[in-house]
Amino acid sequence: MVKDVLIMSDIERQKALIKQIINQLSGEVDQDVELVPEYGIVGSGYTFCFQPSTRSFVKIYKNQNVYILGEVDNGKKLLIYTTCGKIVEIDTDKVFEMDFS
C-alpha cells in the first residue's frame, strides 16, 4: 500500500513536471518557478529507447533537447521527455547537460 502511494506521488510529480516543460517550450514561463534544465543526447543520428507506456522500443533522434523526469533502475537509466513528445528510458551516460553560458 505504501509503495502504491509513493508511485502515485512520483507519477503526479512527473505529470506536473511535463506540464511545466510544455509551458516552458511554448514560451509560457511562470516567473516564480525555476526553468527545467535542458539536456542533450550524446552522438548524432538516432537511437532506440524503451517507451514504458507502449512497452516497446521507439526511434529517438539524438539532435534534440530532452528533459529529465526521474531515475529508473537504481540510477542506471533516466526517464526523459523529448521535444518530439515521447517519454522514454535512456542510459544515464548517454545524456549531457546543455551549457548556456
Side-chain angles (χ1 to χ4, degrees):
M1 178 67 181
V2 173
K3 186 176 180 182
D4 291 339
V5 171
L6 290 175
I7 291 172
M8 288 304 292
S9 64
D10 195 40
I11 290 172
E12 292 302 318
R13 183 193 62 78
Q14 290 173 356
K15 284 181 182 179
L17 188 56
I18 291 169
K19 188 181 272 188
Q20 181 183 350
I21 292 167
I22 291 170
N23 287 338
Q24 183 174 319
L25 289 172
S26 66
E28 299 174 15
V29 180
D30 184 358
Q31 299 298 328
D32 299 330
V33 178
E34 190 173 324
L35 293 175
V36 179
E38 292 182 338
Y39 292 80
I41 301 174
V42 175
S44 61
Y46 62 88
T47 186
F48 287 90
C49 296
F50 180 69
Q51 186 174 36
S53 64
T54 61
R55 294 184 182 186
S56 62
F57 285 84
V58 294
K59 184 193 283 189
I60 299 295
Y61 287 96
K62 295 179 181 181
N63 61 343
Q64 65 179 314
N65 294 343
V66 299
Y67 302 87
I68 295 177
L69 301 177
E71 293 183 349
V72 182
D73 197 20
N74 294 324
K76 295 178 186 173
K77 295 183 183 259
L78 298 171
L79 186 65
I80 60 171
Y81 177 82
T82 66
T83 51
C84 66
K86 295 179 180 166
I87 298 174
V88 297
E89 292 179 9
I90 191 168
D91 291 336
T92 304
D93 62 344
K94 302 289 185 205
V95 176
F96 65 94
E97 188 167 9
M98 305 290 269
D99 186 19
F100 294 107
S101 50

